[in-house]
Each structure stands twice: as C-alpha cells, then as structure tokens.
Amino acid sequence: KNEVEQSPQNLTAQEGEFITINCSYSVGISALHWLQQHPGGGIVSLFMLSSGKKKHGRLIATINIQEKHSSLHITASHPRDSAVYICAVSSLIQGAQKLVFGQGTRLTINP
Amino acid sequence: EAEVAQSPRYKITEKSQAVAFWCDPISGHATLYWYRQILGQGPELLVQFQDESVVDDSQLPKDRFSAERLKGVDSTLKIQPAELGDSAMYLCASSFGLGWEAFFGQGTRLTVV
C-alpha cells in the first residue's frame, strides 16, 4: 500500500462543476502539499498546509490531521484547470525529511 | 520572480550514450532534490542534497546515475550509459531547508532511443 493515496485517479467534468480530489496518507507528516502539473510541464506548488484550510482564488485545500486526509476543491471549474493534481507529504522517514508523492489525479474539464 | 531553472527542457539520446541535466535552484535554497517521473506516475526521489552534501540517494541507480552539487548551489545529474527505461521526466526542486515548501523546475523530458 502506498503511503499517499489519491482518489480518483482520473476525473472528467463539465466546465463550471465543483471538483473535489482526495488524498489520504498513512505516515506522520509535518506538512502536506498540493501540486499541479500541466501536460509536458513542470510542477507548480498550489498549497502547503499543516492544518485547517487555505484558499487561493477558486482553489481550496483542507486537511484533517486526525483522519490523515486532505481534499483539494476547485469551484467553477474551467478547461484551463485540466492538469494532473498531485498530493505530497513532508515526512520524517528513516531519519531524513522526505517528500512522499501520491500517484496524481488527472483532471479533464470539458467546455 | 525567483524560479528553479533546468536545462535542457527536452533531450533525445541514443541508448548507451551519456546524458547530463542541469539545475539551478532558487537563490538561498539549501535543499535540492532530483526526481524522476515516469509517465502516469508520481515523482520518485533520486537524490536529495543539503548544501553540497547528499542527504538521501537510496533510490539512485548508482551503477549508471551520478549527481553532484559541488559548491552547494547548482547541480548536475548524469546518466551513463543511458538505457531505454530511463525515458522519463527529470524534475529538480529546491527548498529553503528540510521540511520547507519545495519549488519545482519545468523538468527535462528525456527520451532514450
């Protein structure tokens, strides 16, 4: 079992829909990251959070430390939101601080 | 705006040839990471530096891969000889320190033919 699991793996929606991507982790963490990767492109950091909720434009990220779960929400989705969204956790593993990645969620927003 | 610079963006090389990638982290970032991302999968850590020292290279295939960060600033990742299975996106990231937010470069897409 992976230490960071995302769901769904693929998500297709119509423009304007409310999108939720989930991330569950099984290790102790110091922070959780939501990242965005466009096709053929590098990775952009969207959020880093260790508790509560953060909002940036149409994006909202929440984390529940007790349940080891985080969600990324996109309101009023747009085709330009189509990308792979990756959840990653900062965790102390074998004495070193590491970033552990989920497998990503491929989001496609159709016009 | 400060960013992590990587070059080249794309590289096509023949099997058994040598290939090198370069990364210039954000100024002042002590921690530098090299990741490999195979299509459809999440990034996998290859090597992590703290200044010029290697913190973690447990997943680096040391028979063919090498990485250095001689002055604790920019870094080079080398593959020699390249194999078909090395085709992937190679991502560099940097952070102020261990546990701080990581910032990623655009990546180098390697195709081995």
Side-chain angles (χ1 to χ4, degrees):
Chain A
K1 189 180 189 305
N2 292 334
E3 291 155 324
V4 180
E5 294 274 357
Q6 287 184 236
S7 64
Q9 287 194 0
N10 294 281
L11 178 57
T12 300
Q14 291 300 120
E15 183 173 356
E17 286 189 41
F18 180 81
I19 302 299
T20 296
I21 299 171
N22 296 300
C23 175
S24 296
Y25 53 92
S26 57
V27 294
I29 69 169
S30 56
L32 183 142
H33 310 255
W34 281 102
L35 310 164
Q36 181 191 55
Q37 186 173 34
H38 283 280
I43 292 176
V44 174
S45 178
L46 298 174
F47 296 103
M48 186 177 82
L49 63 166
S50 53
S51 66
K53 178 167 114 175
K54 285 190 176 180
K55 185 175 188 292
H56 181 70
R58 295 181 294 106
L59 301 177
I60 303 165
T62 64
I63 187 169
N64 185 318
I65 298 294
Q66 287 72 31
E67 295 186 4
K68 295 190 173 181
H69 180 269
S70 175
S71 293
L72 176 69
H73 305 286
I74 305 175
T75 62
S77 60
H78 190 276
R80 64 174 174 266
D81 297 326
S82 298
V84 175
Y85 291 84
I86 303 172
C87 171
V89 299
S90 295
S91 182
L92 193 63
I93 297 174
Q94 295 177 336
Q97 196 70 236
K98 296 186 179 183
L99 265 181
V100 182
F101 292 82
Q103 76 277 30
T105 295
R106 183 173 298 279
L107 175 65
T108 303
I109 303 296
N110 294 319
Chain B
E1 185 177 321
E3 62 179 27
V4 178
Q6 286 189 249
S7 69
R9 285 292 308 277
Y10 304 94
K11 179 71 178 178
I12 299 175
T13 191
E14 292 184 347
K15 187 175 60 172
S16 80
Q17 294 298 303
V19 64
F21 315 128
W22 178 79
C23 172
D24 190 13
I26 292 172
S27 179
H29 280 195
T31 308
L32 184 147
Y33 311 81
W34 282 103
Y35 291 94
R36 175 172 61 186
Q37 185 180 26
I38 294 169
L39 194 64
Q41 299 181 20
E44 167 198 26
L45 179 68
L46 292 175
V47 61
Q48 178 178 338
F49 289 93
Q50 183 66 21
D51 298 310
E52 66 275 8
S53 301
V54 172
V55 172
D56 183 0
D57 63 356
S58 56
Q59 301 301 313
L60 188 72
K62 297 182 188 63
D63 56 335
R64 298 184 300 108
F65 285 64
S66 63
E68 60 183 19
R69 193 184 183 198
L70 293 177
K71 296 183 180 177
V73 181
D74 58 336
S75 175
T76 303
L77 178 70
K78 296 179 182 177
I79 308 174
Q80 183 174 18
E83 295 181 353
L84 295 176
D86 296 331
S87 295
M89 175 77 88
Y90 289 82
L91 293 160
C92 178
S94 72
S95 66
F96 185 73
L98 296 174
W100 289 70
E101 183 175 8
F103 294 84
F104 288 80
Q106 287 294 306
T108 296
R109 182 168 294 284
L110 172 68
T111 302
V112 181
V113 297

